Amino acid sequence: MAESTELQARKTIHAGGEWRAAVSGATREILDPADALPFAVVAEGDEKDTDLAIAAARRAFDEGDWPRTPVTERAALLRRVADLLVRDRERLGRLEAQDAGKTVEEGRVDIDCVADAFRYFAGLVAGEAPGRVVDAGSPDVHSVVVHEPIGVCAMITPWNYPLLQASWKVAPALAAGNTFVIKPSEITPMTTIALIDLLVEAGLPEGVANIVTGPGHSVGARLSEHPDVDLVSFTGGLISGTKVAQAAAPGVKKVALELGGKNPNVVFADACATDEGFDTAVDQALNAAFIHSGQVCSAGARLIIEESVRDRFVAELARRAEKIRLGRGTEDGVECGPLVSEQQRAKVEAYVESALQEGAVLRSGGKRPEPSPQRPENGYFYEPTVLDHCHREMRVVREEVFGPVVTVETFRTEDEAVALANDTEYGLAGGVWTADAGRARRVAGRLRHGTIWINDFHPYLPQAEWGGFGKSGVGRELGPAGLAEYRETKHVYQNLAPKPVRWFAG
């Protein structure tokens, strides 16, 4: 926002082209999870603020020019936004790190990925044909299938990747010609607020982009149920996603849900047959489980390893986990930051305690670290934790922990590995490590997860659809399918030589 006074800092609701305070005047302090100290104040919106934003988006869609703007112009605006993100990369990366607790390097990479998303969807719509011609079997008929914007889109985003997850919704929605109201997580809203400023700077018309900062029980619920909202896109936990779907159901709205995951990382012994292979598999298992302190929906939180290499692999994994440098994400040399909140840390601690009571063996971590200059005493830090001898009946294996915790299960045969990997209510992502190309394809084909990485973990491509099976959600983000979520399909049938049919007397 252009003005930076304390009063203006609380005007974080953007509706109809204007920054506003909450109607109620309520505010919320945003805490740095590294020290639990406030570093920003935002408006705490509610249903009234949400109604104002939805009304602005509705007017902009029904009466404004954006839905009818040529795709080349919409694409050009998205590219300008990408350029502005690159310009502000350092500022936004640091803000993301402070807000969400991740390292600055992770924050910078996130901003790069956000810019990539805007560029991808710009290129996707700019290169499209105007419609798909359908052969009607007559030279007198012109029949074409066209895509149109769906309308007013409600977007509810999570706290772990605030700007990245917002971009996966905002970029395709704008590329398709929609207007939107976005509700970022109430604990990590800062970079999404900044994105609205960049959209305005890039020339987006008033009312097309709207944001309401506030809690899910009021803002999120109202967005989901409001009759003037045409689509609801939600990324977050299973319980909240279920509530969103229930609220949207009476209006028969289109709903896209990207929910949780309990993702297997399957390691076959042949992947560890060489020193280089072993080192790589261990390193990637650390990356799978502990990047962003495990607060990732696609985290490889279930290590499923062949029994013959289990002892050596787990010992090395635990040794390296103990060496991960914890601290404030904005400090040089820090490899892993704090958890996002005290509530999240308490949840992780409860899962580890229950696992130990159920027979798991602690190989590393399992506690809060000692305070240091890089780790303030009040920060929400928790050590990377390896839990060995785990089994499917444990809560820590079945449920999404969303913290720096990896569980270890073992298998002897390929069939057993697949059965373990698929033995989950979720189906978001999974990894397979093997030197056998045939086995890699077989296992990947049998796993019931939306994304399968072979000899890698965590990369994604803007061109490839992202989504899950089972309770990991419905709908897709990224890729052509991600754009399709924000469109309606219309069949236009034109008779070039109409004639009477005379089916009826008269």
Side-chain angles (χ1 to χ4, degrees):
M1 293 166 287
E3 298 181 53
S4 59
T5 64
E6 183 179 2
L7 177 62
Q8 287 295 325
R10 301 179 184 189
K11 290 187 176 182
T12 56
I13 295 170
H14 193 263
E18 179 184 355
W19 287 106
R20 308 165 179 255
V23 171
S24 68
T27 60
R28 174 190 290 265
E29 291 183 333
I30 304 301
L31 305 182
D32 184 335
D35 56 21
L37 296 176
F39 71 94
V41 178
V42 300
E44 182 85 331
D46 59 19
E47 294 87 350
K48 292 180 180 179
D49 303 285
T50 308
D51 286 349
L52 289 171
I54 293 171
R58 187 80 263 169
R59 285 193 303 273
F61 185 82
D62 293 341
E63 304 170 16
D65 295 331
W66 184 250
R68 287 155 287 281
T69 298
V71 291
T72 53
E73 294 181 26
R74 296 204 298 262
L77 185 137
L78 264 62
R79 292 191 182 99
R80 290 197 296 274
V81 174
D83 291 342
L84 294 173
L85 287 160
V86 172
R87 181 197 70 186
D88 293 349
R89 178 180 187 258
E90 187 65 22
R91 176 179 69 86
L92 293 172
R94 286 190 168 274
L95 184 58
E96 195 80 321
Q98 185 175 26
D99 205 7
K102 59 184 64 182
T103 66
V104 170
E105 186 54 37
E106 288 180 75
R108 295 183 185 118
V109 171
D110 284 358
I111 305 308
D112 292 340
C113 293
V114 172
D116 287 345
F118 275 89
R119 289 196 184 101
Y120 169 73
F121 284 107
L124 186 61
V125 295
E128 284 185 320
R132 178 171 60 88
V133 176
V134 179
D135 184 3
S138 168
D140 294 332
V141 172
H142 179 67
S143 178
V144 62
V145 174
V146 297
H147 300 295
E148 297 185 348
I150 197 167
V152 175
C153 302
M155 304 168 180
I156 304 172
T157 56
W159 48 256
N160 59 333
Y161 285 88
L163 193 57
L164 182 61
Q165 292 292 333
S167 74
W168 289 11
K169 304 177 191 301
V170 170
L174 291 179
N178 297 286
T179 63
F180 70 86
V181 181
I182 190 166
K183 189 207 91 65
S185 167
E186 56 267 36
I187 57 177
T188 58
M190 302 308 296
T191 51
T192 309
I193 296 168
L195 176 63
I196 301 299
D197 261 339
L198 296 186
L199 292 171
V200 173
E201 184 178 350
L204 193 67
E206 291 183 357
V208 175
N210 306 272
I211 182 173
V212 181
T213 50
H217 67 79
S218 56
V219 178
R222 186 59 174 154
L223 283 172
S224 303
E225 70 184 11
H226 199 289
D228 281 342
V229 168
D230 300 297
L231 171 147
V232 183
S233 180
F234 171 88
T235 300
L238 176 61
I239 294 175
S240 297
T242 302
K243 292 179 180 178
V244 166
Q246 290 171 340
V252 199
K253 305 180 195 302
K254 189 173 184 180
V255 177
L257 304 174
E258 201 269 273
L259 307 177
K262 195 65 184 177
N263 312 290
N265 186 23
V266 181
V267 180
F268 287 90
D270 62 9
C272 304
T274 66
D275 289 343
E276 182 181 5
F278 176 82
D279 181 69
T280 300
V282 172
D283 184 65
Q284 288 280 5
L286 290 166
N287 175 58
F290 299 133
I291 191 171
H292 193 16
S293 296
Q295 298 171 119
V296 186
C297 60
S298 58
R302 293 177 65 203
L303 173 62
I304 300 174
I305 186 160
E306 193 164 351
E307 187 175 68
S308 61
V309 294
R310 174 191 157 283
D311 290 347
R312 179 187 174 210
F313 196 100
V314 172
E316 181 62 10
L317 183 73
R319 186 188 72 80
R320 296 192 196 183
E322 290 175 348
K323 292 182 176 296
I324 292 175
R325 294 188 290 273
L326 294 179
R328 186 189 295 272
T330 53
E331 296 282 344
D332 292 336
V334 167
E335 297 172 328
C336 206
L339 296 176
V340 76
S341 67
E342 178 58 43
Q343 179 184 15
Q344 188 63 21
R345 183 170 64 177
K347 174 186 171 185
V348 171
E349 289 174 327
Y351 272 113
V352 172
E353 181 179 354
S354 72
L356 297 177
Q357 291 175 351
E358 292 172 325
V361 176
L362 184 66
R363 297 299 187 194
S364 71
K367 65 183 186 301
R368 302 179 185 187
E370 291 295 323
S372 73
Q374 290 77 33
R375 294 190 299 272
E377 185 174 2
N378 293 330
Y380 309 131
F381 296 97
Y382 195 77
E383 293 182 352
T385 299
V386 178
L387 294 172
D388 199 3
H389 294 288
C390 294
H391 54 78
R392 183 65 181 92
E393 287 69 35
M394 294 177 174
R395 285 183 58 228
V396 74
V397 175
R398 296 194 315 270
E399 300 175 13
E400 189 175 36
V401 176
F402 229 64
V405 177
V406 61
T407 60
V408 181
E409 303 163 78
T410 58
F411 66 91
R412 294 181 179 178
T413 68
E414 182 178 310
D415 286 344
E416 187 180 1
V418 171
L420 283 171
N422 283 337
D423 190 10
T424 173
E425 293 181 326
Y426 296 99
L428 187 61
V432 180
W433 289 84
T434 177
D436 184 331
R439 170 184 281 161
R441 289 191 294 271
R442 278 197 312 273
V443 174
R446 296 174 66 188
L447 293 183
R448 296 286 298 164
H449 302 274
T451 294
I452 305 298
W453 294 294
I454 297 174
N455 296 337
D456 209 333
F457 213 98
H458 277 318
Y460 73 91
L461 303 174
Q463 306 93 320
E465 285 80 10
W466 175 262
F469 301 164
K471 291 186 178 179
S472 286
V474 294
R476 290 294 181 268
E477 294 186 304
L478 300 177
L483 178 64
E485 293 288 344
Y486 292 91
R487 283 174 158 174
E488 296 281 19
T489 301
K490 179 186 289 185
H491 177 208
V492 180
Y493 178 104
Q494 182 181 5
N495 192 332
L496 303 176
K499 299 178 180 65
V501 293
R502 302 198 185 284
W503 282 354
F504 306 103

